[in-house]
Amino acid sequence: MNNFDDYSSEKGNDYSGYQMMRMWFPEKEEADKQEHMTTELSDEEFEELKNHLNGCMPLGSMILDLWDENVRFEENLTADWYMEAAFGTAESLTDCADKLEKFFIDQIERLSLDYNQHGEEELFHDLIKDEARQFVKNWRKNIYSLFLKMDVSKKKSG
């Protein structure tokens, strides 16, 4: 099953998260549900997990512009948000994107970054909402692609 949308609707993205966790942290077999994964990991292990998953974030997204300002949303938003954004269900996409959108707008206002050059507040918020939604969706697709590569190499070596 190579189509992410079919996979996500049939198995749920948390399945790939569970399988990846088992591959990366085989001693954490009790992390059987996405919402419990982070509670089973030490701080160092969670940072290791984030290093793997951050490499899947879609480059070229306006959302990652915050990194240029040394603002790391993946460190400032909660661990629960992070795991839900990475491995959540299709139903959680909007909630994750809404939180990311709010964080992005709060930060660009705090830093006085001029992203809304046309002054159309409603259109600007719609643009950021779409960008955040696309970011989370593409991140999940990239994580799924990584999972497929891991699964294939596991089968070849096993």
Side-chain angles (χ1 to χ4, degrees):
M1 183 176 310
N2 291 326
N3 182 302
F4 173 75
D5 294 325
D6 291 344
Y7 171 84
S8 184
S9 64
E10 184 177 314
K11 290 193 174 190
N13 205 35
D14 60 339
Y15 175 78
S16 60
Y18 168 67
Q19 293 301 327
M20 293 168 95
M21 291 285 288
R22 290 187 64 205
M23 286 186 250
W24 285 325
F25 306 104
E27 70 282 358
K28 302 290 184 183
E29 294 213 21
E30 291 163 18
D32 61 346
K33 298 247 185 256
Q34 179 260 327
E35 59 269 11
H36 300 295
M37 284 188 222
T38 55
T39 61
E40 298 294 327
L41 298 177
S42 68
D43 290 344
E44 294 81 21
E45 289 168 329
F46 186 56
E47 286 305 312
E48 181 182 338
L49 173 66
K50 285 173 41 176
N51 285 335
H52 289 294
L53 299 179
N54 288 356
C56 295
M57 288 184 180
L59 301 177
S61 171
M62 184 188 317
I63 300 299
L64 292 184
D65 287 356
L66 291 176
W67 287 3
D68 296 337
E69 303 298 325
N70 292 320
V71 176
R72 306 294 297 226
F73 60 87
E74 70 279 13
E75 294 173 8
N76 287 287
L77 293 170
T78 67
D80 288 339
W81 175 88
Y82 187 91
M83 295 302 287
E84 190 64 33
F87 297 121
T89 63
E91 293 80 23
S92 72
L93 179 65
T94 299
D95 185 53
C96 291
D98 288 348
K99 288 175 182 166
L100 184 57
E101 171 203 4
K102 181 180 179 345
F103 182 82
F104 183 86
I105 289 173
D106 289 348
Q107 294 306 306
I108 63 170
E109 288 174 358
R110 181 183 68 82
L111 296 166
S112 300
L113 300 174
D114 188 19
Y115 276 81
N116 187 8
Q117 296 176 0
H118 300 291
E120 298 284 337
E121 203 66 31
E122 188 174 331
L123 290 174
F124 176 69
H125 282 268
D126 288 345
L127 170 74
I128 301 303
K129 181 182 288 291
D130 290 344
E131 185 75 20
R133 182 177 177 78
Q134 199 60 42
F135 178 88
V136 173
K137 187 173 184 179
N138 288 340
W139 187 27
R140 288 177 178 181
K141 284 183 180 181
N142 293 346
I143 291 169
Y144 173 68
S145 293
L146 176 63
F147 166 65
L148 289 179
K149 289 176 191 168
M150 290 173 65
D151 195 43
V152 166
S153 64
K154 179 183 168 190
K155 288 176 183 172
K156 285 182 181 177
S157 66

